[in-house]
Amino acid sequence: MAETILELADARLTLAGNAGPVEVLRGITLSVVRGESVGLVGPSGSGKSSLLMLMGGLERATSGRVAALGHDLTAMSEDALARFRRGNMGIVFQSFYLIPTLTALENVALPLELAGVADAMGRAGAELAAMGLAARAGHYPAQLSGGEQQRVALARASVARPALLLADEPTGNLDSATGAAIMDQLFALRDRHGATLVLVTHAPELAGRCDRIVRLADGQIVDCLPA
């Protein structure tokens, strides 16, 4: 039987709004097994990104339970969540969030250095080379194209060999050709490292590359089908 790597049970998220509390997620129950790729789709405002944030422990569920790799994220402190993410999750956003004063190599090595990993620079260099960016390792983010910056962000997310990759519209700031190349590399990362992938996207062709598509509307799951 496949191992469950992510499990949400009646997870709810309510945030404060100008007109009062807003129910962003309304009772999400979902399991994801190791090695699976899942596409989260739905209209803007349906709760896709918020659901991904719950999975990554970047938002805390108002009620219900969110577990990853057998750990209850809803019961962990912020410091414990940060340590858990560092060792087990890679997260890629629409914006690249690279540190402008660090080179591409230094950006990729940073999570390893924070974890005290030996040969952080060597491992970071190998990950950049796998992304086709060996020649750009010494460049700063401002010297890189958008596609190159996102590849650096992918390398940073994957360099620690996380069990779980979470991607929130990773091609949203890129043209279609560059975005398609980034998605090829994201799925190659999944295959190379054996990671479980959860992807938020508006693009049907990208969702169709996943094993399963979870469709959200108004903060609830309305469909969960093989791609």
Side-chain angles (χ1 to χ4, degrees):
M1 184 175 179
E3 176 191 358
T4 298
I5 194 170
L6 270 173
E7 188 168 17
L8 295 89
D10 196 26
R12 297 173 181 270
L13 178 63
T14 302
L15 299 177
N18 292 332
V22 177
E23 284 190 291
V24 180
L25 295 172
R26 300 188 290 158
I28 300 292
T29 295
L30 178 67
S31 295
V32 179
V33 300
R34 185 177 291 275
E36 187 179 20
S37 57
V38 176
L40 302 180
V41 303
S44 296
S46 60
K48 304 182 301 297
S49 294
S50 295
L51 177 54
L52 199 77
M53 296 302 100
L54 285 193
M55 292 175 172
L58 296 168
E59 286 279 7
R60 194 177 294 273
T62 308
S63 64
R65 183 173 182 270
V66 180
L69 294 163
H71 294 263
D72 185 354
L73 302 188
T74 53
M76 297 169 72
S77 68
E78 291 300 324
D79 286 346
L81 279 170
R83 290 192 296 270
F84 180 78
R85 278 194 299 268
R86 187 175 66 198
N88 298 284
M89 296 182 180
I91 305 177
V92 184
F93 299 96
Q94 181 172 331
S95 298
F96 315 127
Y97 294 119
L98 300 178
I99 298 174
T101 55
L102 299 183
T103 65
L105 180 65
E106 291 166 340
N107 266 283
V108 176
L110 184 60
L112 297 180
E113 292 180 328
L114 290 174
V117 174
D119 193 27
M121 288 296 186
R123 285 180 57 176
E127 200 67 31
L128 279 175
M131 289 285 178
L133 289 174
R136 308 292 272 166
H139 290 69
Y140 292 92
Q143 298 172 306
L144 303 174
S145 69
E148 288 171 334
Q149 290 186 62
Q150 190 60 297
R151 279 191 280 164
V152 172
L154 283 176
R156 181 182 58 189
S158 63
V159 71
R161 306 291 188 269
L164 182 61
L165 278 173
L166 305 176
D168 188 6
E169 292 283 2
T171 62
N173 284 335
L174 306 173
D175 62 73
S176 57
T178 304
I182 290 296
M183 291 311 303
D184 286 343
Q185 292 191 309
L186 182 61
F187 279 89
L189 270 180
R190 177 203 62 179
D191 296 339
R192 188 162 70 244
H193 299 322
T196 302
L197 172 65
V198 181
L199 166 70
V200 169
T201 183
H202 282 288
E205 65 275 15
L206 300 184
R209 295 178 65 170
C210 295
D211 301 317
R212 187 159 49 119
I213 297 176
V214 175
R215 190 175 306 278
L216 285 89
D218 298 322
Q220 296 178 303
I221 293 174
V222 295
D223 226 350
C224 186
L225 299 169

